[in-house]
Amino acid sequence: MNPKKILSEWFIITFGTVVAASAVFFFLIPSHLAVGSISGLAIILANFIPLKISAITMGLNVALLVVGLIFIGRDFGIKTIYTSVLMPVVLAVLEILFPDMQSIMGDGFLDMLLYIFTVSIGLAILFNRNASSGGLDIIAKLLNKYLRMDLGKAMSLAGICTALTAALVYDAKTVLLSILGTYLNGIVLDHFIFGFNIRRRVCILSNKEADIEAFILHTLHSGATIYEPVGAYDHQIRREIITIVDKNEYIQLMNYISKTDPSAFVTVYNVNEVFYRPKIR
């Protein structure tokens, strides 16, 4: 990886961490919501430990970071060491800049919705760079790696216990909002990650199959598989092209097919995850 790509990689990771930390500080902390995250747990512990939330978050992140280094691997660990330190540092800076931060919306439910939307953007950016904001995200990544569980569901499972700890300090409304927020956070996170990773499996039957195949291979620089299905109506053998493309490639491919062979028969399927050798361009 050249220096520009390395710099871009770490800039994106930094941006994702700042977005996640800002969501915690501006929406989660003022409403005292323990939405499933390590910061949510820190909010609860701050009622018993005479430390700032940023300091408690740092301590909890370090403990879980050791687990991540052991079971997830060095690449994930190096990135998460950075984000695990940066997350509480950003929180500490925000605590200094806004020492008396109050609820922006003046309503716990609205704060929860804004937190979920904002933090999911940050976490999706980090997960798609094989990183994490630390804390419970590490547990979610473990569940995703070893149990093949969706990241959103893994986040919900890891966070539900944290949300329940709100019962130790706050009233029933806050506990319910924390649990609801944890559940919704998993759903929204899945949406953002799915949107980033989505691929499409395109199956094409066309009289111009040679032209379409050449376009896929030499213009899109993608791969394709050729099958020879038999039509049930006339029992004739045809050639079907099957390729998996990303969203930009899909648009180019469909535009080309519509111009080259408007009568082509095309079926499209969404693909959540693909393991393959990187393309050579």
Side-chain angles (χ1 to χ4, degrees):
M1 187 179 290
N2 62 49
K4 287 185 178 180
K5 288 186 177 180
I6 293 175
L7 184 61
S8 175
E9 177 89 355
W10 286 99
F11 174 80
I12 292 172
I13 291 173
T14 300
F15 177 74
T17 306
V18 172
V19 170
S22 298
V24 170
F25 182 81
F26 289 107
F27 304 120
L28 200 66
I29 294 176
S31 294
H32 307 291
L33 297 175
V35 174
S37 66
I38 207 66
S39 299
L41 181 59
I43 292 172
I44 301 301
L45 293 178
N47 290 275
F48 306 100
I49 302 174
L51 294 173
K52 290 186 176 181
I53 292 174
S54 57
I56 298 174
T57 301
M58 176 72 81
L60 294 173
N61 274 347
V62 170
L64 286 173
L65 183 59
V66 174
V67 176
L69 286 169
I70 294 172
F71 294 102
I72 297 176
R74 188 178 65 178
D75 181 58
F76 180 84
I78 290 173
K79 293 176 180 178
T80 306
I81 287 174
Y82 175 70
T83 57
S84 294
V85 173
L86 181 60
M87 182 81 167
V89 167
V90 174
L91 286 175
V93 171
L94 292 173
E95 286 172 345
I96 295 172
L97 295 176
F98 306 96
D100 299 313
M101 186 65 195
Q102 302 296 319
S103 172
I104 293 177
M105 303 304 297
D107 182 88
F109 181 75
L110 293 178
D111 282 339
M112 178 195 71
L113 293 180
L114 287 172
Y115 165 76
I116 291 171
F117 179 78
T118 307
V119 80
S120 293
I121 294 175
L123 294 181
I125 292 171
L126 293 176
F127 277 132
N128 280 276
R129 293 293 171 175
N130 196 32
S132 162
S133 64
L136 297 184
D137 301 342
I138 295 175
I139 297 176
K141 195 73 175 181
L142 283 167
L143 294 173
N144 173 255
K145 179 177 181 179
Y146 292 105
L147 300 181
R148 310 303 301 169
M149 184 181 295
D150 291 339
L151 285 172
K153 293 179 181 178
M155 285 291 293
S156 296
L157 182 62
I160 193 67
C161 292
T162 300
L164 289 173
T165 61
L168 299 174
V169 181
Y170 303 115
D171 57 17
K173 178 182 177 181
T174 302
V175 175
L176 289 175
L177 281 177
S178 298
I179 295 173
L180 178 61
T182 300
Y183 175 73
L184 293 178
N185 189 39
I187 295 175
V188 175
L189 181 59
D190 258 350
H191 170 76
F192 279 109
I193 293 175
F194 179 75
F196 287 154
N197 287 338
I198 190 171
R199 299 289 189 274
R200 288 183 172 88
R201 183 175 187 264
V202 184
C203 305
I204 308 160
L205 287 169
S206 170
N207 294 326
K208 302 285 186 178
E209 60 93 10
D211 295 333
I212 296 172
E213 179 184 337
F215 178 81
I216 293 171
L217 295 176
H218 304 303
T219 301
L220 297 182
H221 299 283
S222 189
T225 303
I226 307 297
Y227 291 95
E228 292 190 345
V230 178
Y233 181 74
D234 54 14
H235 298 284
Q236 290 186 4
I237 297 176
R238 293 174 173 81
R239 288 169 61 84
E240 180 182 32
I241 304 171
I242 297 179
T243 184
I244 295 178
V245 293
D246 61 28
K247 288 187 286 187
N248 291 330
E249 293 168 340
Y250 172 74
I251 294 172
Q252 295 179 61
L253 177 59
M254 295 307 293
N255 286 338
Y256 180 80
I257 292 173
S258 65
K259 293 177 182 178
T260 304
D261 184 9
S263 63
F265 181 78
V266 182
T267 54
V268 182
Y269 307 86
N270 286 333
V271 178
N272 293 333
E273 195 168 11
V274 180
F275 294 92
Y276 64 101
R277 181 179 297 176
K279 299 173 185 175
I280 300 175
R281 296 185 182 274

